[in-house]
Amino acid sequence: MRQEAGFDPMIPPTPCYVVDEQLLTQNLRILDSVRKETGCRILLAQKAFSMFSVYPLIGKYLDGAASSSLFEARLAREEMGKEVHIYAPAYRDDEFGEILKYSDHIVFNSFSQWEKYRAAVRECPRKISCGIRVNPEYSEIETGIYDPCGEFSRLGVTLSNFRPEELDGVEGLHLHTLCEQGAETLDRTLRVFEEKFGRFLSAMKWVNFGGGHHITKPGYNLALLKDCIRRVRDKYGVQVYLEPGEAIALNTGFLISTVLDVTENGMGIAILDTSAACHMPDVLEMPYRPEIVGAGRPGELPFTYRLGGPTCLAGDVIGDYSFREPLKPGDRLVFCDMAIYSMVKNNTFNGIGLPAILLYGESEGFRMVRQFGYEDFKTRLS
């Protein structure tokens, strides 16, 4: 149960996302210390957090951004202006020319993709470093939808499909097998990766450990992470990259919601102006239960409610929470850790408006970054 958010939730309009700049800076300083002590390069994985108004701040501490699409690569180039890396399971012919324009590293998911586009890379007037994503066929992810090494995975090249004879022009190997995991998992994964692909690393210039590293989570084993980086760096003479997403904005963002109505159907039910389906889809997809400032688990505090959104989807339910006082219309609820994935995945199902986006700083208070209206809904559809 989180006790406070550090700001007055009654001030901004709801629903709204609030990113706390001080908390974001704390995370960035931890990541920067890893960079400085190991010589690794750390990139923001934009798939988790692409609030580009804070890219100048992120760029002060990190080396650039990792992209999963042309649009993300362009955003990183235009708004951060540092290293831009891109990986996709497959590239489109009509986009690859622009990808060459914006990217410094291009990672290919297969040797057939590398064969298809390597001539275009070599003809590009810009120096672009290319890599192959590998699948070590080892992960410790329990939720299948997030496991890139599961049976019949479409992500990365397995050892049995690896083509050493096609490595001419390939300068790096990329692996991504983690999801919200610690350095202990990385250490075990790297040993499998080295056993299978280590023989090719000495001929490479770089290796990318991918994302999923919970580096800024309290209790994360930073010392072991640094040991892993140094060991691979020194053994193979490669530049090590990491591209965390969650670690950058972990626990830095909040979603403020207003209670619209309170009803009863076997238990108390509170309808919010915030939707799980629209504004925090990972609650349904992951699934997970976000913390609310001052709330507890069902029955932990005197008054328990099921919190639901305003859409027609029967399953638009955030979860069951308990409170010290009865909920009533007009009350504000503050959901925690809402910067990562929630903001990039939100949508306008049912014509529900998108939450406003605000920054919060101790000296400046709330600053409105963006508000959305009817035209944002309408122009997506026709």
Side-chain angles (χ1 to χ4, degrees), residues 215-245:
I215 300 168
T216 55
K217 183 179 180 180
Y220 183 92
N221 191 340
L222 287 169
L224 179 57
L225 171 65
K226 295 169 187 175
D227 287 344
C228 287
I229 294 169
R230 293 188 189 104
R231 177 172 58 80
V232 171
R233 177 199 68 191
D234 296 342
K235 183 176 180 180
Y236 301 100
V238 289
Q239 173 67 60
V240 175
Y241 283 91
L242 286 79
E243 48 184 46

Side-chain angles (χ1 to χ4, degrees), residues 240-261:
V240 175
Y241 283 91
L242 286 79
E243 48 184 46
E246 293 198 7
I248 281 83
L250 184 69
N251 294 320
T252 69
F254 304 85
L255 177 55
I256 305 177
S257 178
T258 298
V259 177
L260 301 178
D261 191 21

Side-chain angles (χ1 to χ4, degrees), residues 120-141:
V121 173
R122 287 169 177 167
E123 292 167 6
C124 181
R126 298 178 62 250
K127 165 60 180 172
I128 297 174
S129 184
C130 292
I132 295 290
R133 175 165 174 171
V134 298
N135 176 357
E137 300 175 88
Y138 176 88
S139 74
E140 300 178 13
I141 300 171

Side-chain angles (χ1 to χ4, degrees), residues 36-325:
K36 290 176 177 175
E37 292 179 34
T38 66
C40 78
R41 296 179 183 173
I42 299 182
L43 312 170
L44 161 69
Q46 295 178 99
K47 63 184 177 182
F49 183 69
S50 54
M51 183 178 168
F52 63 88
S53 62
V54 294
Y55 278 16
L57 173 62
I58 294 173
K60 291 180 180 179
Y61 295 92
L62 304 188
D63 297 285
S67 312
S68 304
S69 64
L70 167 61
F71 289 170
E72 283 189 349
R74 179 176 176 177
L75 184 70
R77 176 64 65 198
E78 292 179 349
E79 300 298 334
M80 193 178 298
K82 303 188 77 175
E83 285 191 52
V84 178
H85 295 216
I86 187 170
Y87 159 80
Y91 296 106
R92 293 168 51 117
D93 290 349
D94 60 344
E95 293 183 348
F96 199 75
E98 281 194 86
I99 287 172
L100 292 172
K101 177 181 175 182
Y102 299 119
S103 304
D104 300 301
H105 281 208
I106 300 177
V107 176
F108 294 93
N109 188 59
S110 66
F111 281 97
S112 58
Q113 283 275 291
W114 165 233
E115 291 171 1
K116 181 176 182 178
Y117 291 113
R118 64 184 168 190
V121 173
R122 287 169 177 167
E123 292 167 6
C124 181
R126 298 178 62 250
K127 165 60 180 172
I128 297 174
S129 184
C130 292
I132 295 290
R133 175 165 174 171
V134 298
N135 176 357
E137 300 175 88
Y138 176 88
S139 74
E140 300 178 13
I141 300 171
E142 296 181 356
T143 305
I145 192 174
Y146 300 107
D147 184 1
C149 299
E151 189 177 22
F152 311 126
S153 173
R154 74 191 199 286
L155 304 176
V157 181
T158 60
L159 182 59
S160 63
N161 291 293
F162 201 76
R163 303 182 200 169
E165 69 277 8
E166 298 291 340
L167 289 176
D168 182 35
V170 173
E171 296 185 339
L173 297 182
H174 181 287
L175 68 151
H176 182 161
T177 67
L178 275 63
C179 178
E180 298 183 347
Q181 289 170 310
E184 293 79 8
T185 302
L186 173 64
D187 183 44
R188 291 188 289 269
T189 302
L190 286 176
R191 297 186 187 281
V192 176
F193 165 69
E194 289 181 77
E195 180 182 346
K196 293 186 174 183
F197 297 99
R199 74 192 87 163
F200 309 113
L201 266 186
S202 296
M204 298 293 155
K205 292 183 178 180
W206 53 265
V207 61
N208 190 320
F209 292 173
H213 313 273
H214 248 185
I215 300 168
T216 55
K217 183 179 180 180
Y220 183 92
N221 191 340
L222 287 169
L224 179 57
L225 171 65
K226 295 169 187 175
D227 287 344
C228 287
I229 294 169
R230 293 188 189 104
R231 177 172 58 80
V232 171
R233 177 199 68 191
D234 296 342
K235 183 176 180 180
Y236 301 100
V238 289
Q239 173 67 60
V240 175
Y241 283 91
L242 286 79
E243 48 184 46
E246 293 198 7
I248 281 83
L250 184 69
N251 294 320
T252 69
F254 304 85
L255 177 55
I256 305 177
S257 178
T258 298
V259 177
L260 301 178
D261 191 21
V262 179
T263 63
E264 180 77 25
N265 184 11
M267 69 178 299
I269 299 172
I271 307 298
L272 313 181
D273 63 358
T274 294
S275 163
C278 297
H279 304 149
M280 49 180 96
D282 267 357
V283 168
L284 305 181
E285 180 181 312
M286 186 84 174
Y288 83 105
R289 180 184 185 277
E291 288 190 21
I292 297 176
V293 173
R297 294 192 171 274
E300 183 179 350
L301 299 174
F303 302 94
T304 296
Y305 297 87
R306 176 158 296 175
L307 306 182
T311 74
C312 68
L313 177 67
D316 190 1
V317 173
I318 300 161
D320 297 349
Y321 296 80
S322 63
F323 301 85
R324 291 186 175 86
E325 303 291 337

